[in-house]
Amino acid sequence: VTHSILIAALKPSHASVIELSETVKSKDKDEISSTTGILLSCGGAVNVIGENAYTVYKISVTVQNGKPLHLPEEAFPSGCRFTVLRRYSEFREMEKWIAKKLPTVKLPPLPSRQWRNQIDMAVVNERKKEFDTWLRAASSHLGLLNDDHMRHFLKLDESHEL
């Protein structure tokens, strides 16, 4: 297991960013969904330290074939990879949207809400694993990935030209 920490000032003396990355051997092979042509995973986390500390999770999006999702080839060329940053609350909002608007889509539960120790490395790494499981399950649902809210959540509504 390898840990790397990067500290950079956001606002002088108000907040700093701590990037936490951990190399973990995955039990699952990184496979692109043949249904959607996409692989989603949680590739890391960034702790923002300040008056209101919080963690931002890195969603790694790999587009192998944008045709099943009707993604324009020029905006999402084969092999396109990009990162989306999302807070826990944004995952929770997306989960609520899915439950309300797409009740037939069943995904693993998100990690439980933590009010204390939310930026503790052990808590962050456990959450990261659970978000990874959730994202990998989501990557196989064509209807979910074609939903406008999910496309916005994953920034599939923006161009990612190489």
Side-chain angles (χ1 to χ4, degrees):
V1 177
T2 306
H3 298 282
S4 67
I5 298 176
L6 167 70
I7 302 176
L10 281 180
K11 296 177 185 173
S13 73
H14 293 308
S16 53
V17 175
I18 301 175
E19 183 171 353
L20 307 169
S21 64
E22 180 179 9
T23 304
V24 179
K25 291 185 180 180
S26 175
K27 295 177 188 173
D28 300 324
K29 192 176 176 186
D30 287 347
E31 292 185 16
I32 304 288
S33 169
S34 59
T35 305
T36 64
I38 296 257
L39 173 66
L40 304 174
S41 63
C42 187
V46 177
N47 281 344
V48 178
I49 311 297
E51 287 181 38
N52 297 316
Y54 60 91
T55 303
V56 178
Y57 295 88
K58 294 180 175 184
I59 301 172
S60 176
V61 180
T62 304
V63 179
Q64 185 62 39
N65 176 4
K67 288 179 185 173
L69 298 176
H70 308 287
L71 298 174
E73 178 71 29
E74 62 279 357
F76 296 93
S78 182
C80 174
R81 291 183 179 161
F82 57 96
T83 299
V84 180
L85 301 178
R86 294 288 180 211
R87 292 180 67 169
Y88 176 89
S89 59
E90 292 172 298
F91 274 95
R92 187 59 76 193
E93 287 171 21
M94 193 67 231
E95 181 184 55
K96 287 178 185 177
W97 172 260
I98 293 167
K100 183 178 179 181
K101 299 294 183 180
L102 303 166
T104 59
V105 173
K106 302 297 180 202
L107 297 175
L110 288 176
S112 62
R113 184 148 209 130
Q114 297 262 339
W115 292 104
R116 288 190 270 164
N117 298 325
Q118 66 186 13
I119 62 169
D120 177 79
M121 187 144 180
V123 171
V124 169
N125 283 329
E126 187 57 37
R127 275 186 169 182
K128 191 174 72 165
K129 289 176 191 172
E130 292 177 61
F131 284 134
D132 188 68
T133 300
W134 190 86
L135 288 163
R136 287 175 187 270
S139 68
S140 66
H141 287 277
L142 187 60
L144 174 60
L145 294 180
N146 272 320
D147 176 78
D148 289 342
H149 284 81
M150 188 63 160
R151 288 169 91 93
H152 179 73
F153 180 79
L154 296 171
K155 298 195 181 282
L156 292 173
D157 56 356
E158 299 176 10
S159 179
H160 297 279
E161 296 177 43
L162 294 177

